[in-house]
Amino acid sequence: MILTNNLMEQSMEEAIKILNKSRLIREAGVDSSLYVEREQYLKDLLGEEGYISFHPNVEKDLTADFQKQAQPLVSQKHDIYLNEHRYEEERRAYNDYSIASKLLDDVTNEHLLNNTIPGEVTTFIKRRDIKGLSSPKLSKLLVKIFGETSEVVKWYTNKCPKKLEKGVIKNYKVHLSILPHHIAGMSYYAPYNWGGEKWVTGWRNTSCMDTSRNGSGDCINQLPPNLLDSTLAVAYLTTSENDELFSPRYEARLLVRVIKVTDNDYLLVGFRPFYTNNTTKNYLIEGLKAKFDNFVQCDDLRSEYSDLYGSHMSSFSMYTEVGWSHTGIKVSCDDCDGDGTDWDDEECSTCEGTGYVSSYDDDPFYPYVDDPEFLEFFEDRVEISLPKEYLIAKGYMEAPKKEVSPSTASLAS
């Protein structure tokens, strides 16, 4: 497609078409005034056209091979747990299954290369006070959970590479965009809507933000506010052959928000990924990491830093109004739970049988929050919280000085 000088205008027109595929949004009414210019950092990063595309330069995904070996064993442990009815044996079976399942979900290339255990697994072991699993080595935990002769232990011992080599994946492209139709189409462009693969995450094979497939649910009212969020860009992965600007197919996608953490430093924070398989997920996330030194993904933070609350976190705000209010917005009627009828199967008097009622201007909708440990919306700001350990490790924050007791100080003198 030949782009005109009015790319943003074209994009906004396409975004309105996508939003209007949901009757709820269409009846509320949306227009081009809904889109707010992005933060200057994003505009500078993505240039005049508002998007960039590149082939991902990624390392081999060891986790895919690990999951291939471990998945059947995790399923076996799940069956054992479901069929065990004696208390002590059931408790042990639950612990084994839970640890195995968490390993399957949380292990990364770094864990496999460095023979370390994911933080989520370590936290679970400590909370359940499970004896005999105190070693920090992943290899020992695999033997304890799966057995020394298991396929996953054989693979990890004999076939798992000791280092990774990077390579450019020519048949895929990563895109980072602030164009309105890419944001509005964050789920509309899922390949399942166009005869392709299903997303393995999300809702009904795309997600609740899909105006075409899931546009009748209340969650869809959380899609338009994303156009108001000046901190937001969308990252998505396509095949190299299927990367048309106005009809892409998102093999994987995640939302990226920019946050200022020091006077001179910004971070690009990636939230929950949606993807067709682990390979497309890996290409998108690792491609972004390789391209942007200041990109961090929430799953990595969740895996590496087990305590994500209170004093262990630092919060940063970007001031922008992201609440979407409109008297025409419809939500499910609470009195009939959206059914349209009352207890006597008579027409609900509150919604007059429609199943919907209008919301109020003082009760705005905010963008959907995938990762509540890290992201929160307020009336006047977007707030992102990050682990202090991560910020210290990256040099964005100084480590706290250790307090010296008076007795220690006198001895030193």
Side-chain angles (χ1 to χ4, degrees):
M1 174 178 289
I2 299 175
L3 301 179
T4 70
N5 293 328
N6 298 318
L7 175 57
M8 184 60 72
E9 183 179 330
Q10 287 180 267
S11 177
M12 194 65 227
E13 289 176 358
E14 193 65 27
I16 297 298
K17 291 178 185 177
I18 294 170
L19 292 171
N20 282 340
K21 290 184 180 295
S22 164
R23 180 175 62 84
L24 293 180
I25 297 177
R26 185 170 64 250
E27 291 179 354
V30 291
D31 57 37
S32 59
S33 66
L34 191 63
Y35 182 79
V36 171
E37 281 195 23
R38 305 293 98 165
E39 295 291 334
Q40 190 63 46
Y41 178 86
L42 285 174
K43 293 196 292 184
D44 292 343
L45 183 70
L46 301 181
E48 292 182 0
E49 292 187 328
Y51 73 96
I52 59 172
S53 303
F54 55 91
H55 294 294
N57 185 15
V58 301
E59 297 171 336
K60 176 179 172 58
D61 183 19
L62 299 181
T63 62
D65 293 336
F66 174 82
Q67 288 165 343
K68 181 180 179 180
Q69 301 297 329
Q71 180 64 70
L73 303 175
V74 175
S75 298
Q76 288 176 16
K77 291 194 174 294
H78 184 244
D79 292 341
I80 292 171
Y81 163 60
L82 291 179
N83 291 293
E84 185 55 72
H85 302 293
R86 292 169 294 180
Y87 176 73
E88 285 299 329
E89 286 76 5
E90 182 184 28
R91 188 173 187 272
R92 279 193 288 269
Y94 170 76
N95 288 340
D96 280 358
Y97 165 66
S98 298
I99 292 171
S101 180
K102 288 179 183 297
L103 279 172
L104 194 69
D105 292 338
D106 297 326
V107 78
T108 65
N109 283 341
E110 287 73 19
H111 295 127
L112 293 167
L113 288 171
N114 299 320
N115 196 18
T116 55
I117 300 172
E120 288 284 317
V121 178
T122 300
T123 299
F124 178 82
I125 291 171
K126 289 180 179 178
R127 285 177 179 169
R128 298 282 292 184
D129 192 26
I130 303 171
K131 306 299 182 185
L133 299 180
S134 59
S135 172
K137 291 187 177 181
L138 176 62
S139 56
K140 290 191 175 182
L141 181 62
L142 294 177
V143 171
K144 287 278 189 179
I145 297 300
F146 296 112
E148 193 168 0
T149 60
S150 64
E151 292 302 315
V152 68
V153 169
K154 290 178 182 176
W155 172 82
Y156 189 57
T157 303
N158 302 316
K159 296 182 180 179
C160 182
K162 304 305 178 188
K163 64 178 182 178
L164 296 179
E165 294 181 1
K166 280 192 174 183
V168 176
I169 311 299
K170 291 288 190 180
N171 53 338
Y172 283 92
K173 283 185 178 180
V174 173
H175 312 260
L176 186 62
S177 173
I178 56 175
L179 292 177
H181 75 286
H182 288 150
I183 296 171
M186 63 174 67
S187 295
Y188 173 75
Y189 289 125
Y192 189 61
N193 284 337
W194 313 95
E197 289 188 70
K198 304 172 182 178
W199 279 347
V200 298
T201 44
W203 172 250
R204 294 184 65 202
N205 308 308
T206 59
S207 96
C208 60
M209 295 293 103
D210 182 355
T211 55
S212 174
R213 187 174 299 276
N214 303 315
S216 60
D218 288 350
C219 277
I220 204 64
N221 289 315
Q222 295 174 286
L223 179 61
N226 289 282
L227 294 176
L228 291 168
D229 185 356
S230 64
T231 73
L232 177 67
V234 61
Y236 63 93
L237 180 83
T238 68
T239 61
S240 295
E241 295 77 21
N242 205 3
D243 66 339
E244 182 69 32
L245 185 64
F246 282 93
S247 57
R249 303 293 176 260
Y250 292 2
E251 300 295 329
R253 69 95 167 146
L254 56 78
L255 300 183
V256 176
R257 287 182 170 86
V258 62
I259 195 76
K260 189 175 184 179
V261 293
T262 75
D263 288 342
N264 301 309
D265 295 301
Y266 290 83
L267 287 178
L268 297 171
V269 182
F271 293 87
R272 181 187 178 192
F274 294 78
Y275 48 91
T276 54
N277 55 61
N278 285 325
T279 297
T280 56
K281 171 188 173 184
N282 184 64
Y283 286 166
L284 177 59
I285 294 175
E286 297 303 317
L288 289 166
K289 288 180 187 177
K291 182 72 171 179
F292 305 107
D293 291 337
N294 62 337
F295 174 82
V296 62
Q297 206 269 321
C298 286
D299 285 340
D300 291 337
L301 295 175
R302 191 178 288 111
S303 176
E304 295 302 321
Y305 305 96
S306 57
D307 198 338
L308 300 176
Y309 298 95
S311 61
H312 296 272
M313 304 289 281
S314 284
S315 297
F316 305 90
S317 295
M318 299 290 275
Y319 289 87
T320 179
E321 296 182 9
V322 296
W324 182 50
S325 299
H326 197 292
T327 54
I329 299 174
K330 298 287 185 68
V331 295
S332 295
C333 176
D334 286 337
D335 289 346
C336 67
D337 293 327
D339 183 61
T341 58
D342 60 20
W343 295 104
D344 298 320
D345 287 333
E346 299 292 331
E347 182 181 277
C348 175
S349 58
T350 303
C351 65
E352 299 180 337
T354 64
Y356 295 97
V357 295
S358 295
S359 66
Y360 300 96
D361 284 339
D362 59 354
D363 188 23
F365 286 95
Y366 294 101
Y368 185 78
V369 178
D370 283 324
D371 292 288
E373 302 99 321
F374 306 101
L375 176 65
E376 191 171 1
F377 292 106
F378 296 89
E379 185 176 346
D380 63 343
R381 68 189 187 277
V382 177
E383 185 171 286
I384 292 179
S385 299
L386 299 169
K388 288 182 179 178
E389 286 184 66
Y390 165 79
L391 295 165
I392 292 169
K394 293 295 183 180
Y396 299 121
M397 178 183 289
E398 290 187 5
K401 294 180 180 179
K402 293 183 179 179
E403 293 186 7
V404 180
S405 66
S407 58
T408 305
S410 62
L411 287 174
S413 60

